[in-house]
Amino acid sequence: MKFFIINSFRTMVYVAYIAVIVGGIGLGVYQSGEWSNAVLGIDGGLAQIVDIAVFSLGGWIVASLICGLIVTLLDIRDDINDRLPDARRDD
């Protein structure tokens, strides 16, 4: 059972990582160059490419932070669970 739980958490992190990056790409496509036009003053097809690139990079950074935090918290929880039975022993 522990093997299944550990692998399901790993799968959750992989899925979350890919989902956040795809969300960033989707946001770049949705912007259709408006962000680049407003912020950078770029117009036309180049603005769409810049939007997709910037939001993809942003999605990758956010995904790394979110999934890193998930893995860190799960590791801390696992370490606490490993040490918890030792504190309850009546020697």
Side-chain angles (χ1 to χ4, degrees), residues 10-60:
R10 183 179 295 160
T11 303
M12 176 187 68
V13 170
Y14 292 153
V15 169
Y17 195 80
I18 292 169
V20 173
I21 292 173
V22 169
I25 294 169
L27 185 60
V29 171
Y30 175 75
Q31 287 294 318
S32 300
E34 293 177 21
W35 182 83
S36 295
N37 191 11
V39 175
L40 303 174
I42 300 172
D43 209 9
L46 181 61
Q48 292 177 349
I49 294 170
V50 170
D51 273 359
I52 293 170
V54 167
F55 285 106
S56 298
L57 180 66
W60 175 63

Side-chain angles (χ1 to χ4, degrees), residues 1 12 16 28 31 33 48-49 66 81 83-84 89:
M1 186 68 173
M12 176 187 68
Q31 287 294 318
Q48 292 177 349
I49 294 170
I66 290 172
N81 285 339
R83 296 172 196 262
L84 193 59
R89 246 191 281 179

Side-chain angles (χ1 to χ4, degrees), residues 16 20 61-71:
V20 173
I61 291 170
V62 169
S64 297
L65 291 173
I66 290 172
C67 293
L69 182 62
I70 290 171
V71 169

